Amino acid sequence: MTILSARPVSTPDSAAEIHVLEHDRATSQSFASSWLRPMVVERIVMCVDAVLVVVSGIGCAAAYHLFTQSLGGKAEVYAAASVLVAINLALLITVQHGYRLKTITNLPRTLRMTLMTWTGLFGALLAIAFTMKLSENFSRGTTISFYLIGLAVLLAWKAAAARWTAHAQRTGAFANSRAVMIAEFGLPASSNAMMDLAQHGYRLMRIMEIRSKEFASPLLLSSIGPRLDELIAYARENRIEHIFLLMSWSRQHAIDSILDALKILPVPVHLVPDAHAARFLRYPLVNTGNTWTAELRRAPLSWKERVLKRTLDLVGASLALIVFVPVMLVTAILIKATSKGPVFFRQTRNGFNGGAFKIFKFRTMRVLEDGLTIRQAQKNDPRVTAIGKWLRKTSIDELPQLLNVLKGDMSLVGPRPHAAAHNSEYEQIIGHYAFRHHVKPGITGWAQVNGYRGETHTLQLMEKRVEYDLWYINNWSLWLDFVILCKTALVSLGQRTAY
């Protein structure tokens, strides 16, 4: 932790038990900004994103007007469109946690997220504008320049923001809240907890450590009393704002005793989760009467959530069919002209609550497997037709599943349904596999846009796909569905794992 330097207190009996942490003076002078909090930085980055988008949109429209002497539409139309794009971009990135400090400083991830979200958003809005016959209000030159210049400006800003934020974290610019810690000596992950606090707004001024033999004493306060009194006096003299307790949650008596001794200080006391409790606290907290519980696994969607999701499915599938009908007609003709057999392929899949249904796909193989034994498509699979390779690569073979969505068997977004034979097999060997049936299967899903698409030739790949599916179910929202749909357009063209 570069922003802090530790030295033991001069008294010999306190060595390795109380540490004074002195903040680098040069750092304090360089970043003496009490307003600089992680939440403030996150909001600034989001606001700058929105401003850059609006400025880029209006600027491109004005520049195109000066260059061609024809705006191709009213100025207020471009301004309104730029604001709409800015709002949607900010919301989509927020849903993906793109404005959290750890994401902002992760430059490859934030650049990838910005590229995919910006492109997906433009594609979705253009499709809507075309469907609603609004595209005639916008010139192609302005639209293309807005996409390219807006993307370039955003990527440059993201790179600068990542560099500045990472530098600020390293130098302690966010460590403005003065804090002390009472920690269990040798507790695993304690250094990570201290570093995380320092990077997210807390300046640890002093750490008091308690050894295992002291916890074992029935008179804990008698053994640590002098040091605890010294810490309390230090907190009063140095205007300490927070106290953190970092110890195993099983030491309930010690936590209660220390909390009772600290009650004379008018500052908040925080209990940092130990390694065992931390993994459960990542889940949402739910009020179940008078008791708060960590929802380790959420129930299927509520009726309100199902109505919202079904509405999105009906509207989205209807619009998609209108847009892709020409593509589907051409595909049907090509399939019929290049190989013998039906245009569509129907196969038994398992849907919500494990119920069976017939899925529709364009036929891409010379065989129509649907039974107890089904072999997944592999690279250079001889069963795949010439046109089938292209259809599978571009995911055009999945378009007939829009009919399954309209029927109610599937959703636009959800865990991908596997063949019934594979379903039975994986339910036996992957513990949480059956939980995928708590929602309707989807044409696309969270696993697919994160790279787990196509053949799963190892058990580890299927386990990873299931892990992403379960995350989607536990974190579902309408915005998350919208993000996945936007990403799918890009992923379908760029993936190389669909054979």
Side-chain angles (χ1 to χ4, degrees):
M1 187 162 51
T2 58
I3 66 168
L4 301 172
S5 58
R7 60 175 178 83
V9 174
S10 57
T11 53
D13 59 344
S14 65
E17 294 175 347
I18 296 181
H19 296 284
V20 178
L21 303 175
E22 296 178 343
H23 195 264
D24 191 308
R25 293 181 181 177
T27 297
S28 298
Q29 294 172 356
S30 299
F31 293 94
S33 48
S34 59
W35 60 270
L36 192 57
R37 308 280 179 173
M39 186 176 294
V40 173
V41 173
E42 293 166 3
R43 296 295 180 269
I44 289 174
V45 173
M46 181 174 65
C47 291
V48 173
D49 278 2
V51 170
L52 289 176
V53 170
V54 173
V55 171
S56 297
I58 297 175
C60 288
Y64 189 80
H65 170 63
L66 292 174
F67 183 74
T68 63
Q69 298 300 315
S70 175
L71 191 57
K74 296 181 179 179
E76 59 269 21
V77 173
Y78 287 99
S82 301
V83 172
L84 177 64
V85 173
I87 292 173
N88 280 279
L89 179 73
L91 289 173
L92 289 173
I93 293 180
T94 300
V95 168
Q96 301 174 81
H97 308 302
Y99 292 120
R100 293 184 178 178
L101 281 184
K102 64 179 181 181
T103 306
I104 294 173
T105 54
N106 186 342
L107 186 56
R109 180 184 175 188
T110 195
L111 292 181
R112 184 169 60 251
M113 182 185 300
T114 302
L115 173 62
M116 296 186 69
T117 305
W118 180 254
T119 304
L121 176 60
F122 251 78
L125 293 178
L126 287 175
I128 293 172
F130 175 78
T131 304
M132 300 180 68
K133 296 184 178 180
L134 299 175
S135 56
E136 59 188 20
N137 295 321
F138 302 94
S139 72
R140 286 172 293 180
T142 302
T143 303
I144 294 173
S145 61
F146 181 24
Y147 169 79
L148 295 175
I149 293 176
L151 178 60
V153 170
L154 282 173
L155 293 178
W157 154 241
K158 294 290 188 181
R163 183 175 181 180
W164 177 84
T165 306
H167 177 72
Q169 281 188 328
R170 289 193 302 269
T171 53
F174 300 133
N176 296 306
S177 295
R178 301 163 70 86
V180 296
M181 177 179 285
I182 301 175
E184 180 177 345
F185 182 77
L187 191 70
S190 60
S191 60
N192 292 335
M194 288 187 285
M195 180 175 292
D196 187 66
L197 289 171
Q199 291 182 346
H200 290 83
Y202 300 96
R203 178 149 51 110
L204 293 177
M205 307 295 294
R206 176 169 288 205
I207 298 176
M208 172 183 164
E209 292 178 336
I210 305 177
R211 296 182 179 276
S212 299
K213 62 180 181 180
E214 293 174 317
F215 280 115
S217 173
L219 301 174
L220 174 65
L221 289 182
S222 298
S223 59
I224 67 171
R227 284 180 289 141
L228 194 57
D229 291 339
E230 181 186 350
L231 188 71
I232 291 172
Y234 178 86
R236 284 172 168 164
E237 294 171 3
N238 293 273
R239 302 188 305 278
I240 295 300
E241 302 172 72
H242 298 272
I243 298 176
F244 292 92
L245 303 184
L246 180 58
M247 56 191 67
S248 173
W249 280 23
S250 63
R251 303 191 184 279
Q252 297 179 23
H253 174 70
I255 294 172
D256 290 336
S257 300
I258 294 171
L259 191 61
D260 186 63
L262 294 173
K263 65 184 180 183
I264 61 175
L265 289 175
V267 296
V269 180
H270 309 271
L271 180 61
V272 181
D274 61 15
H276 299 291
R279 68 188 186 98
F280 296 117
L281 294 181
R282 297 190 187 101
Y283 295 92
L285 293 180
V286 178
N287 186 353
T288 54
N290 295 324
T291 303
W292 286 91
T293 62
E295 191 178 50
L296 305 183
R297 180 175 296 165
R298 68 167 289 172
L301 304 182
S302 67
W303 71 269
K304 292 181 180 179
E305 292 173 326
R306 290 198 299 272
V307 168
L308 287 173
K309 191 168 177 61
R310 184 60 180 155
T311 301
L312 175 65
D313 289 340
L314 290 174
V315 174
S318 301
L319 290 175
L321 278 174
I322 294 172
V323 172
F324 290 112
V325 157
V327 177
M328 296 174 70
L329 289 174
V330 171
T331 301
I333 294 171
L334 290 175
I335 292 173
K336 204 65 180 174
T338 56
S339 63
K340 296 180 179 180
V343 170
F344 294 108
F345 166 55
R346 300 179 66 197
Q347 190 179 69
T348 302
R349 302 286 172 99
N350 292 103
F352 178 72
N353 202 25
F357 71 96
K358 291 288 186 178
I359 195 173
F360 294 100
K361 298 181 70 174
F362 280 124
R363 182 175 59 83
T364 58
M365 291 187 173
R366 297 179 177 86
V367 297
L368 300 172
E369 296 178 344
D370 186 17
L372 297 177
T373 303
I374 297 176
R375 184 161 59 95
Q376 283 188 332
Q378 302 173 349
K379 191 173 184 179
N380 299 321
D381 196 316
R383 298 173 300 166
V384 179
T385 64
I387 189 66
K389 292 180 180 179
W390 178 73
L391 295 177
R392 298 173 74 91
K393 186 71 67 177
T394 58
S395 294
I396 291 177
D397 64 318
E398 311 283 4
L399 289 179
Q401 290 167 40
L402 293 169
L403 301 175
N404 288 114
V405 174
L406 293 177
K407 286 180 61 181
D409 295 328
M410 294 178 63
S411 179
L412 289 176
V413 181
R416 283 293 297 158
H418 301 135
H422 297 153
N423 216 59
S424 301
E425 175 187 352
Y426 288 125
E427 280 184 349
Q428 303 299 320
I429 57 180
I430 299 179
H432 300 292
Y433 183 88
F435 188 62
R436 301 171 76 251
H437 301 312
H438 281 214
V439 297
K440 289 182 182 179
I443 296 179
T444 184
W446 185 240
Q448 282 65 45
V449 299
N450 280 281
Y452 294 95
R453 172 176 177 260
E455 181 191 10
T456 51
H457 54 273
T458 66
L459 181 61
Q460 289 73 21
L461 283 175
M462 180 57 75
E463 288 176 337
K464 200 67 179 177
R465 178 184 289 184
V466 171
E467 178 184 330
Y468 276 92
D469 288 338
L470 298 189
W471 184 93
Y472 167 79
I473 295 172
N474 284 321
N475 295 273
W476 178 86
S477 70
L478 205 60
W479 276 113
L480 180 59
D481 275 5
F482 185 67
V483 169
I484 293 172
L485 289 173
C486 291
K487 286 188 173 184
T488 298
L490 297 175
V491 173
S492 297
L493 296 175
Q495 288 273 55
R496 293 293 179 266
T497 53
Y499 308 124

